[in-house]
Amino acid sequence: MAVGLTAVALAAAGCTSTPEPEAPKNDGSFIISWSEPQNPLVPAGTSETQGGVVIDALFTGLTNYAAADAKTEMANAESITSADGGTTWTVKLKPGWKWHDGTSVTAKNYVDAWNYAAYSPNGLINGTFFGDIKGYSDVVSEDPDGPDKPQVAPKPAKDKLDGLKVVDDNTFEVTLSGPSNLWPIKVGYSAFMPLPDAFFKDPAAFGQKPIGNGPFKLDSWTKNVELKVTRNDDYQGADKPKVKDVVFRVYTDDAAAYEDVKNGTIDFQQQVPSAKLVGDLYKTDFGADRSSNKPVSSSAFIAMPTWLPGYNDPKVRQAISMAIDRKLIVEKIFNNTRIPMNGWVNPNMAGYKDGSCGEFCTFDAAKAKALYDSATTKPKEISLAYNGDASHKPWVDAVCNSIATALQVTCTGKPFPTFGEFRTLVTTQKMTGMSRAGWQADYPHIENWLNPLLKTGASSNDGKFSDAAFDAKLKEADGTADLAAAEKLYQDAEAMLPALMPTIPLWHSSQQTVWSAKLATVTINTFGELDLATVTVK
């Protein structure tokens, strides 16, 4: 508050008889609408966007993705090079970087963090992102849970990856299982961020009050109320923030958050409620200078519980997909601000191929009914679960109506109060029917839409889909050094999916964002996130 009062006084002192445009302050604060994250704030333990946006503020990894075009830029890394065509990579860090507790960021911090994340008994959800590093199979053990679950998994053979080696304080070496020139693109994702020594003394406590190396430091976190970060004035990265503080305020009703941005109580809402898309109402409320409409690297799916009878039959999954009139729902619910999907990959990705889903993503009620009727076992319950703290109800009801009408079954939307509760039920296989799913790219490549979502045991494989031939094709692509050849193999893997129908593609996002009159500079990156470092306030 003291900063705000000082800024007002300075602005008043600067007034003259000739009015001048108000210059943005190189300070100040603003408030973002937010939902409580699912997990403690540990980079490799966070796979959802609400925790992810805070992780990105607190931590900086080897590389960043440029806000304008998602191209890879060196961040904490000075260089990432390979002398053998992509199997062994030497990573050199920029010297002089510090953690928020004043200790130095070292190569050991990366190696320790990655070993910890990959070791399956530690239970970090993004552990599978380290699967292409040599020795990964030795640090994981298969989950033995069956009908009598849960059971304790056997201890892995090793607790360290063979492919990681510290060379000196600012250099480490990474050896992959096979050559890959995609790997240096992947390491910009938050799963690959380092951890300070303080983490290993008490990981649970760290997750509640993380110490990062990024542009902002954690100031306070009151659960289910708000989280505040403050600028790290010792930050060594190029993306230095302009504002002093950012507050992430919890909302359980996105309509209320929208009204609070409108009346200036808070300052930013990343996605407006669907009700405000009708007639472009958000444009009327905020005008062109305080709103944006931008295609982003984000898409919506339905996760199918493949462990349940009925849902384990691809015919049932294909029939449900064909029963959804995507075009009509996009028109009526989203005012044509979404793009019906006909594949599993977002168009903004390298390697995207149009039309890979074919007839199974095309509405055809008669074919859907015939296919559904031909299935031997039907699901006990056709339901679609969602988090009730965002505006999912209108489209969920529309999807269910479409399915019910086409298949002549009962389909029910099932809301859960908060995003965190919903995600916990999904990741612990407690769902009794379908659940909504969304994917925001971690990096701009087709691989990011296949491996983390659909590979057996992958971090965000909500439906627990598994197919050996599909996994083998992904593995072949993962081990191909030539990027163009690897993309072709990933496309071949995607081409296998219509027959398997592991998830149901719905629509790609064009994101409608609004902000208050307080914000002077607003940049939405290609992933749909607000670029916190470039925000200025009036």
Side-chain angles (χ1 to χ4, degrees):
M1 180 175 287
V3 171
L5 290 172
T6 302
V8 170
L10 289 172
C15 291
T16 67
S17 58
T18 304
E20 294 180 354
E22 187 179 5
K25 300 170 189 170
N26 188 25
D27 219 324
S29 64
F30 66 98
I31 304 172
I32 294 175
S33 171
W34 187 59
S35 294
E36 195 74 22
Q38 179 191 5
N39 294 322
L41 294 173
V42 175
T46 298
S47 65
E48 42 77 22
T49 55
Q50 300 305 301
V53 68
V54 180
I55 292 291
D56 288 342
L58 300 178
F59 293 85
T60 296
L62 298 173
T63 62
N64 283 333
Y65 301 112
D69 55 12
K71 287 185 177 175
T72 296
E73 301 173 332
M74 292 294 122
N76 189 197
E78 188 171 82
S79 63
I80 304 174
T81 57
S82 175
D84 65 0
T87 298
T88 301
W89 292 88
T90 300
V91 180
K92 289 187 177 295
L93 303 180
K94 294 172 182 172
W97 281 52
K98 300 287 186 183
W99 292 101
H100 298 158
D101 63 1
T103 58
S104 296
V105 178
T106 66
K108 182 175 181 295
N109 294 146
Y110 281 91
V111 169
D112 288 349
W114 295 7
N115 275 324
Y116 187 92
Y119 187 57
S120 62
N122 290 328
L124 294 192
I125 195 166
N126 281 332
T128 53
F129 275 86
F130 302 90
D132 46 10
I133 296 177
K134 184 180 178 183
Y136 177 76
S137 60
D138 290 333
V139 300
V140 298
S141 56
E142 190 171 342
D143 187 346
D145 290 355
D148 301 322
K149 64 181 180 181
Q151 299 177 38
V152 177
K155 188 177 179 180
K158 296 180 180 179
D159 63 359
K160 301 287 189 299
L161 290 159
D162 288 341
L164 296 179
K165 184 175 77 173
V166 174
V167 176
D168 58 39
D169 279 354
N170 291 314
T171 310
F172 66 102
E173 194 173 272
V174 183
T175 301
L176 307 180
S177 300
S180 171
N181 285 302
L182 177 61
W183 185 80
I185 297 173
K186 293 167 64 173
V187 297
Y189 178 47
S190 57
F192 295 92
M193 288 175 179
L195 287 168
D197 292 341
F199 168 82
F200 299 95
K201 294 173 183 174
D202 190 343
F206 183 94
Q208 304 306 314
K209 195 170 183 179
I211 298 167
N213 65 335
F216 290 92
K217 301 185 286 187
L218 183 71
D219 180 273
S220 60
W221 186 6
T222 304
K223 295 295 176 60
N224 299 311
V225 179
E226 66 180 33
L227 181 149
K228 178 181 175 184
V229 298
T230 190
R231 187 174 61 210
N232 172 20
D233 288 327
D234 296 323
Y235 181 57
Q236 296 297 304
D239 51 334
K240 293 180 171 56
K242 310 296 186 296
V243 298
K244 182 70 173 173
D245 300 316
V246 182
V247 175
F248 299 85
R249 183 161 296 168
V250 174
Y251 278 83
T252 56
D253 179 352
D254 63 351
Y258 180 90
E259 293 302 321
D260 277 358
V261 179
K262 192 175 165 185
N263 64 35
T265 301
I266 66 172
D267 304 301
F268 183 82
Q269 184 176 41
Q270 183 168 315
Q271 175 60 62
V272 305
S274 55
K276 303 301 180 184
L277 300 177
V278 178
D280 288 334
L281 185 57
Y282 75 99
K283 293 182 179 177
T284 303
D285 287 342
F286 288 88
D289 60 331
R290 293 199 289 123
S291 66
S292 70
N293 179 10
K294 177 177 180 176
V296 295
S297 303
S298 173
S299 305
F301 297 86
I302 293 177
M304 308 299 285
T306 62
W307 65 89
L308 293 177
Y311 286 113
N312 59 2
D313 183 348
K315 278 186 185 176
V316 168
R317 304 195 291 261
Q318 291 163 340
I320 292 174
S321 180
M322 294 175 77
I324 300 171
D325 192 341
R326 294 164 179 78
K327 186 177 178 183
L328 183 65
I329 294 169
V330 163
E331 177 188 343
K332 297 298 184 185
I333 304 297
F334 295 112
N335 194 26
N336 288 319
T337 59
R338 306 292 189 270
I339 302 167
M341 291 176 74
N342 57 15
W344 281 262
V345 178
N346 187 281
N348 295 328
M349 300 297 107
Y352 164 76
K353 189 173 183 179
D354 189 27
S356 61
C357 185
E359 65 172 333
F360 296 123
C361 287
T362 302
F363 176 64
D364 190 323
K367 282 188 178 178
K369 179 74 165 61
L371 190 59
Y372 188 77
D373 288 346
S374 71
T376 304
T377 303
K378 310 293 194 301
K380 184 178 179 182
E381 167 188 305
I382 295 186
S383 60
L384 179 51
Y386 62 98
N387 51 304
D389 54 0
S391 60
H392 297 301
K393 185 177 189 308
W395 72 258
V396 167
D397 288 348
V399 165
C400 259
N401 285 337
S402 188
I403 293 170
T405 302
L407 302 185
Q408 297 175 30
V409 297
T410 299
C411 179
T412 309
K414 295 180 70 173
F416 292 87
T418 67
F419 178 75
E421 292 171 70
F422 168 74
R423 285 301 304 165
T424 297
L425 290 169
V426 169
T427 55
T428 55
Q429 288 184 256
K430 298 288 175 58
M431 289 300 176
T432 55
M434 305 180 292
S435 55
R436 83 153 192 98
W439 187 246
Q440 175 185 292
D442 303 317
Y443 40 87
H445 197 274
I446 182 176
E447 183 272 346
N448 187 232
W449 292 74
L450 301 176
N451 264 324
L453 290 166
L454 299 173
K455 188 178 179 180
T456 300
S459 57
S460 295
N461 186 345
D462 289 348
K464 308 304 174 191
F465 168 74
S466 179
D467 183 83
F470 178 71
D471 288 350
K473 183 59 71 177
L474 289 178
K475 186 175 181 180
E476 183 184 358
D478 294 343
T480 300
D482 181 78
L483 280 176
E487 282 179 11
K488 174 66 171 60
L489 289 169
Y490 288 123
Q491 290 172 346
D492 291 346
E494 187 189 10
M496 300 168 72
L497 295 179
L500 302 169
M501 213 66 200
T503 57
I504 294 180
L506 290 177
W507 37 76
H508 303 299
S509 294
S510 179
Q511 182 172 284
Q512 296 73 41
T513 302
V514 293
W515 54 91
S516 74
K518 182 178 181 180
L519 300 191
T521 307
V522 174
T523 303
I524 309 296
N525 65 24
T526 59
F527 303 114
E529 301 282 356
L530 176 62
D531 184 16
L532 296 180
T534 58
V535 173
T536 59
V537 297
K538 297 174 183 173

